[in-house]
Amino acid sequence: MTDYLLHEFSHQDLDWLLHNGQIRELSPKTVLRQPDRPCHEIYLLLEGSLSLAMPYQNSGQLQEFLQLTSGELTGAIPYLETLFSAATIQAIDRSCVLCFDRTQLADKLTQDIAFSAHFYRAQAVLLWQRLQFLAMQMKLNPAFLARVNLKEAAILFAELQDQDLDWLIAVGQIQMLANQTILQPRYHPIEALHIVLEGALSLQALDDSPDAIAQVFLHSDLRSLQELARLARGDLFGETLFLQPHPSYVQIQALRETQLLSIPRWRLAAKLLHDDGFAMRFYRVLAGLMASKYQAIVSQLGFVTHQETLEVGDSFLSKMAMAEARFDWMLKRIKTQSTSGREIQWSFN
């Protein structure tokens, strides 16, 4: 499907993969993973193709969900392990995979920040490509991928560190939008990452996907837009800009007076390039967001997933509470700096 790893990983990253992975030859119909059994390995498909089959909700029978081609990762991948715990992974034809122990990779991700940043970016890019492919297969309007799941953006505030949020506040621009103001016209490039501080935004699109060039320059389509979702306090827009630059398929319009923190594209791109720690945390957030969108489409297709059980555990609730507290504190910092010019320090870790 793609050679994205060669684009995202450095020479040192590829050397580590080569020296720490084990090459395994697979005969046709060889099963790499069985449903609901622990998986302790991650597989990089080098040659051949693999089938990923999942139980269908109506029948309970396994149905092929996805075919993997060379260059793709599968197995015990962070953020996707629970989602595909009911899946069967099987070789379609004679194939070759590079295998890694999940503990070994977890240690590498913890110890090597640059490798971790590259790995999570590669994972987020792969998920974004798969999402687009599935949307095309389902004949979904591309704007569907802009839908925001409840509280998914809160991951950003739970994962980033205090100095990361300080930087976002320092380089971000506070915008005040009046009611009905259009923040993002359809088919125009996305130029910033926007975080909603107060107010509400509407994500709107047409039912189908007409020619974008004609829409921009001719304004030929006068049909009314349909609301896909709403962004509220703590939500964000523009995150996929840093995975694959593309015009926005949605129009974003303020539903009432709304305050935003907008981080210009060029500032964030430079930060991601020169700060490995920030890049690691930011791309880890994006990988989690893409996995959340991926799970939504898998469920919509009618396949059985187990990711929902993850969102009711103590760990998830604790992360949500931390995200809310950090967001509130960020609002307090912004308000204090804008009114008095002085900074206040974070009061928790």
Side-chain angles (χ1 to χ4, degrees):
M1 178 181 178
T2 176
D3 58 354
Y4 71 100
L5 286 181
L6 300 181
H7 293 285
E8 304 299 340
F9 280 6
S10 67
H11 294 299
Q12 292 83 358
D13 300 334
L14 294 174
D15 285 343
W16 185 89
L17 294 173
L18 180 63
H19 288 103
N20 290 276
Q22 296 182 342
I23 293 178
R24 185 182 303 175
E25 301 284 346
L26 305 176
S27 301
K29 297 186 178 180
T30 299
V31 176
L32 280 177
R33 178 173 187 169
Q34 296 183 353
D36 299 316
R37 293 192 179 181
C39 182
H40 302 291
E41 291 183 311
I42 295 173
Y43 309 106
L44 170 60
L45 181 57
L46 303 178
E47 295 180 339
S49 55
L50 301 176
S51 172
L52 195 153
M54 299 178 65
Y56 204 66
Q57 291 176 356
N58 293 335
S59 64
Q61 299 296 316
L62 286 176
Q63 293 191 22
E64 185 176 83
F65 166 68
L66 188 66
Q67 285 193 9
L68 306 178
T69 55
S70 62
E72 296 199 65
L73 288 167
T74 189
I77 304 175
Y79 295 111
L80 293 180
E81 183 177 359
T82 304
L83 172 60
F84 291 132
S85 62
T88 295
I89 302 174
Q90 181 175 309
I92 298 175
D93 45 25
R94 186 170 297 280
S95 304
C96 179
V97 295
L98 191 62
C99 307
F100 304 92
D101 180 80
R102 59 181 295 182
T103 303
Q104 184 182 30
L105 181 63
D107 290 342
K108 179 66 173 177
L109 291 173
T110 300
Q111 297 167 6
D112 189 334
I113 295 177
F115 176 89
S116 185
H118 301 158
F119 178 87
Y120 284 119
R121 173 174 165 80
Q123 184 181 353
V125 169
L126 173 61
L127 285 172
W128 178 244
Q129 291 177 348
R130 287 184 181 176
L131 281 168
Q132 292 179 307
F133 177 74
L134 286 175
M136 182 178 63
Q137 275 196 323
M138 296 171 64
K139 298 182 178 179
L140 293 174
N141 188 310
F144 175 86
L145 300 180
R147 290 180 184 269
V148 177
N149 292 335
L150 182 63
K151 294 296 186 180
E152 69 172 10
I155 301 173
L156 179 73
F157 302 102
E159 292 287 344
L160 295 185
Q161 295 184 355
D162 296 348
Q163 63 264 32
D164 301 330
L165 297 178
D166 284 337
W167 183 84
L168 292 176
I169 294 171
V171 303
Q173 301 169 355
I174 302 297
Q175 293 193 65
M176 294 297 301
L177 304 181
N179 183 30
Q180 301 303 307
T181 300
I182 295 177
L183 170 68
Q184 177 71 46
R186 288 179 301 133
Y187 307 116
H188 284 238
I190 303 171
E191 297 179 344
L193 174 69
H194 303 287
I195 301 173
V196 182
L197 302 179
E198 297 290 348
L201 299 171
S202 174
L203 275 65
Q204 306 162 350
L206 294 171
D207 290 335
D208 55 11
S209 184
D211 184 79
I213 293 293
Q215 291 299 300
V216 171
F217 292 102
L218 298 179
H219 306 288
S220 59
D221 203 314
L222 300 178
R223 290 171 292 172
S224 61
L225 298 172
Q226 302 295 317
E227 185 174 79
L228 294 176
R230 292 189 176 186
L231 301 181
R233 179 180 181 276
D235 287 329
L236 58 107
F237 173 78
E239 72 280 6
T240 58
L241 168 66
F242 300 95
L243 301 179
Q244 184 180 25
H246 58 86
S248 172
Y249 293 104
V250 298
Q251 174 175 287
I252 302 182
Q253 187 172 20
L255 295 175
R256 57 180 180 271
E257 187 175 273
T258 299
Q259 185 183 48
L260 303 172
L261 178 65
S262 301
I263 298 89
R265 170 183 178 177
W266 70 271
R267 296 296 299 263
L268 194 48
K271 180 73 168 175
L272 291 169
L273 183 63
H274 297 292
D275 188 335
D276 286 336
F278 178 83
M280 180 270 291
R281 293 183 289 274
F282 184 82
Y283 286 125
R284 186 169 60 194
V285 168
L286 289 193
L289 293 178
M290 294 304 105
S292 177
K293 293 180 186 293
Y294 198 50
Q295 190 271 341
I297 289 188
V298 172
S299 297
Q300 183 170 339
L301 285 171
F303 291 95
V304 176
T305 69
H306 297 318
Q307 185 143 327
E308 292 87 349
T309 60
L310 192 65
E311 296 190 352
V312 296
D314 292 340
S315 176
F316 177 79
L317 295 177
S318 175
K319 182 175 290 188
M320 291 298 299
M322 172 62 75
E324 182 68 20
R326 290 169 70 87
F327 181 77
D328 287 341
W329 197 256
M330 186 177 77
L331 285 179
K332 185 176 180 181
R333 286 175 66 88
I334 292 173
K335 183 176 180 180
T336 300
Q337 289 181 211
S338 63
T339 56
S340 67
R342 66 183 182 88
E343 295 186 1
I344 58 174
Q345 299 300 314
W346 296 95
S347 60
F348 58 93
N349 296 317

